[in-house]
Amino acid sequence: MIEELNVDDPFAASLANALNNFFQDLEEIPTEDILNENDIIRLVQEESHDENSDSEEEDTLVSPGDALKSLETWISFFEQQYYDEFCVEDLELFKRYFKIIKRLEQQSRKQASIMDYFFSFD
C-alpha cells in the first residue's frame, strides 16, 4: 500500500513517511490468538499501565541538612558572581530561606538526655 503512493507528491511522500514510522514503532503483540476489539483494547491498556508505572519516579525527600548544604553552596556561588543578572535583592531572599531551613534543620535534630546515653549500657 505504501509503495503505491506517488512519492513525487509532497503530501503522499509525507503520508508514506508517517506510515513507515508508524509500522516501525509497532511492537509485536505477545499472543498468537486472533484478537477481537476488546482484547486489543485490554492489551493496549495493560501496556500503557506498565509504561506509566515504570516511568513514575518516587519523590525523594530532601532532608533539611541536605537542603541547608545546597543552599549554602548556592549562596556562596551567588556571592562570587559579578554579572548584572545576579541581584542583591535575590541574594537577600536566598539568605532568608537559608535562615528558615537552618531553623528547620535544628528542630529536626533529635534531642536526648545525656542520662539516656549512660544508662543505655545496662
Side-chain angles (χ1 to χ4, degrees), residues 7-26:
V7 291
D8 294 331
D9 180 10
F11 295 114
S14 175
L15 176 61
N17 190 23
L19 287 171
N20 280 324
N21 290 340
F22 172 76
F23 288 119
Q24 287 175 356
D25 290 342
L26 281 179

Side-chain angles (χ1 to χ4, degrees), residues 29-87:
I29 297 174
T31 184
E32 295 179 6
D33 298 334
I34 296 175
L35 302 176
N36 63 26
E37 290 179 11
N38 292 329
D39 294 332
I40 294 170
I41 292 171
R42 184 181 43 77
L43 281 172
V44 170
Q45 287 175 337
E46 287 173 1
E47 183 179 311
S48 175
H49 176 70
D50 291 342
E51 288 175 5
N52 289 338
S53 64
D54 292 342
S55 65
E56 291 177 4
E57 295 180 13
E58 291 184 23
D59 291 336
T60 55
L61 296 177
V62 179
S63 70
D66 289 343
L68 193 64
K69 289 175 192 173
S70 297
L71 195 50
E72 187 174 27
T73 302
W74 173 249
I75 289 172
S76 296
F77 172 79
F78 196 97
E79 290 173 334
Q80 297 170 8
Q81 303 308 307
Y82 298 104
Y83 301 105
D84 293 336
E85 290 94 13
F86 291 86
C87 304

Side-chain angles (χ1 to χ4, degrees), residues 96-109:
R96 186 174 121 221
Y97 280 110
F98 180 82
K99 290 177 186 176
I100 292 169
I101 294 172
K102 189 170 188 168
R103 182 174 34 88
L104 290 174
E105 193 267 336
Q106 289 172 347
Q107 290 173 352
S108 70
R109 292 185 196 159

